[in-house]
Amino acid sequence: MKVSVQWLRELVATDLPVKELAHRLTMAGLEVEEIHPVAGDFTGIVVGHVKTVNPHPDADKLRVTEVDAGTGELLTIVCGAPNVAAGQKVPCAVIGARLAPGADRKPFEIRKARLRGVESNGMLCSARELGLSDDHGGLLVLDDGAPVGQDVRQLLALDDTYLTLKLTPNRGDCLSMLGIARDAAAVLNAKLLAP
């Protein structure tokens, strides 16, 4: 069972640090196996609105896009994602943005670059590049109502941690957020804020 700490805090009046909360739940019989952030450690990723998509003059698999990232001017960004299309709203890493550490364990900072002769002023991101999943098949397409220029961490509520609980078959009451919240409220002697 995966439990959102942010959601749990909406249901139980507590401000305990995550590790202490996990320890208290484990000691009460709800074994916390893992503690993970919801998303990778990234900054400077905003909602970008893809205005135009054109073929790259010197590369078959690359596209040259113009993107409104809320900076006041359109950014030219070279993109290799197969699903990029005009009209989409996608995560856009602007110059100076930092992506989560990759396999080499070093953070990746976005800079101006020339890709096959075309200057690129940022990067359009997939869910994998944000540390949300292993899917690297294309860009993460956001809702049409997402405000251009808004921080993606804020938009998608990614400043959260989830706990993975190892539940035994006799704890069917803990197969929901409200069930976990009831136990947490009892363990922490806190008020349950049931909907």
Side-chain angles (χ1 to χ4, degrees):
M1 168 84 179
K2 296 207 186 289
V3 175
S4 160
V5 172
Q6 188 174 15
W7 192 3
L8 187 61
R9 291 183 197 275
E10 291 174 14
L11 297 171
V12 179
T14 182
D15 59 354
L16 274 178
V18 174
K19 287 187 178 184
E20 176 65 18
L21 175 63
H23 176 72
R24 300 276 295 271
L25 289 173
T26 299
M27 293 296 102
L30 296 176
E31 184 182 348
V32 177
E33 286 189 309
E34 297 176 324
I35 302 171
H36 282 287
V38 169
D41 183 23
F42 63 82
T43 59
I45 313 293
V46 298
V47 175
H49 186 206
V50 180
K51 296 293 191 176
T52 65
V53 178
N54 296 303
H56 191 289
D58 292 327
D60 292 339
K61 294 186 179 183
L62 295 178
R63 310 278 182 280
V64 179
T65 65
E66 287 188 324
V67 179
D68 178 5
T71 60
E73 61 185 54
L74 291 180
L75 303 176
T76 300
I77 298 176
V78 176
C79 178
N83 67 331
V84 66
Q88 290 176 328
K89 291 194 176 171
V90 297
C92 178
V94 294
I95 301 299
R98 292 179 57 132
L99 295 177
D104 61 359
R105 305 317 251 169
K106 294 179 183 175
F108 181 73
E109 186 171 334
I110 301 299
R111 298 183 181 128
K112 281 186 181 183
R114 290 193 79 75
L115 298 171
R116 298 224 179 175
V118 177
E119 187 173 282
S120 185
N121 297 294
M123 177 177 159
L124 304 181
C125 302
S126 69
R128 182 177 179 187
E129 290 155 341
L130 301 182
L132 297 175
S133 79
D134 290 331
D135 181 18
H136 195 58
L139 299 177
L140 174 65
V141 180
L142 304 172
D143 185 64
D144 288 339
V148 171
Q150 182 178 11
D151 187 282
V152 169
R153 289 194 86 83
Q154 180 186 6
L155 174 75
L156 300 177
L158 298 178
D159 288 325
D160 193 6
T161 303
Y162 69 83
L163 309 175
T164 303
L165 302 182
K166 182 178 181 181
L167 298 176
T168 55
N170 65 322
R171 292 305 311 262
D173 59 313
C174 290
L175 292 175
S176 69
M177 282 299 298
L178 187 55
I180 299 294
R182 281 190 186 113
D183 267 32
V187 168
L188 301 174
N189 196 24
K191 183 175 179 170
L192 178 66
L193 308 169

